[in-house]
Amino acid sequence: MQFEELEIPDLKLIFPKKFGDERGFFSETYNLEAFAKAGIDPQFVQDNHSLSSNVGVLRGLHFQCPPFAQDKLVRVIRGRILDVAVDIRAKSKTFGKWVSTEISAEDWNQIFIPAGFAHGFVTLEPDTEVNYKVSAPYAPESERAIMWNDPDLGIDWPFDESQVTLSAKDEKAISFASYRENPVF
């Protein structure tokens, strides 16, 4: 497995090895020891799987407040996404900075996003399936979202507002300025 730091070093891009033969392939997508050696050591407690039927489905920017804050290990098993992580740790030197990277089934890559980041993605292909591990269970009372298109963040999404599909919950996300007034990390 290969691990690469992104522009914000706490975020890691991961490339699992894939071994193929006439039967198909085998890949170890998570290994506790290998991840720990790379400085990634959460205890994952839940796996989630989403299907987005159309291009332009945008999910995010989500996070859960402590004590239910979640580390995430995100991979795409079919299709392609633009994955975005925003540092929402008020005392971090990269507070308010974001990183985006393409994650795809074809590239067989993953991204690790630690707690303290708002996370979202947009689908770049139809019928995209995303599988991700989290280090804390879903806790609706702890769930929050920051606007995907917040001008203070200036995220470079590949679609404009007329081209994305949001959930009703994501349409009501708060601004980054509102989060900055009362940060939870």
Side-chain angles (χ1 to χ4, degrees):
M1 226 176 275
Q2 179 185 347
F3 297 84
E4 293 179 10
E5 284 186 354
L6 295 172
E7 296 89 52
I8 299 175
D10 295 328
L11 300 169
K12 307 270 195 277
L13 197 56
I14 303 152
F15 296 90
K17 292 180 180 170
K18 199 173 190 182
F19 304 95
D21 61 23
E22 68 280 353
R23 300 168 298 163
F25 73 86
F26 172 82
S27 182
E28 184 177 88
T29 60
Y30 175 75
N31 178 295
L32 179 69
E33 187 176 323
F35 274 61
K37 284 181 183 175
I40 304 170
D41 61 354
Q43 179 181 358
F44 292 114
V45 299
Q46 181 176 311
D47 279 6
N48 300 320
H49 187 138
S50 71
L51 166 68
S52 298
S53 301
N54 299 313
V55 172
V57 172
L58 197 143
R59 299 174 187 261
L61 300 161
H62 302 151
F63 64 96
Q64 285 192 172
C65 302
F68 298 103
Q70 296 176 323
D71 300 298
K72 295 178 181 178
L73 178 62
V74 179
R75 69 189 191 101
V76 173
I77 57 174
R78 182 170 55 167
R80 191 166 55 101
I81 63 172
L82 181 69
D83 196 274
V84 175
V86 179
D87 190 344
I88 59 171
R89 302 168 299 175
K91 295 181 179 169
S92 169
K93 64 182 177 182
T94 56
F95 179 63
K97 304 288 185 213
W98 55 271
V99 170
S100 69
T101 190
E102 194 172 294
I103 306 293
S104 70
E106 182 178 334
D107 290 341
W108 206 246
N109 56 349
Q110 304 178 100
I111 186 169
F112 173 74
I113 302 157
F117 284 77
H119 172 251
F121 64 85
V122 65
T123 57
L124 302 174
E125 293 182 8
D127 299 319
T128 293
E129 291 187 59
V130 177
N131 194 341
Y132 58 102
K133 296 181 172 307
V134 293
S135 62
Y138 174 63
E141 67 284 358
S142 177
E143 182 181 39
R144 304 288 187 277
I146 294 172
M147 291 172 16
W148 69 279
N149 59 350
D150 189 289
D152 288 342
L153 295 174
I155 297 170
D156 188 18
W157 295 99
F159 303 105
D160 65 34
E161 288 186 46
S162 68
Q163 298 171 303
V164 299
T165 303
L166 298 172
S167 70
K169 190 172 12 177
D170 285 347
E171 288 177 354
K172 297 175 185 165
I174 65 169
S175 68
F176 186 66
S178 293
Y179 174 81
R180 195 173 36 235
E181 289 173 14
N182 190 22
V184 297
F185 289 98

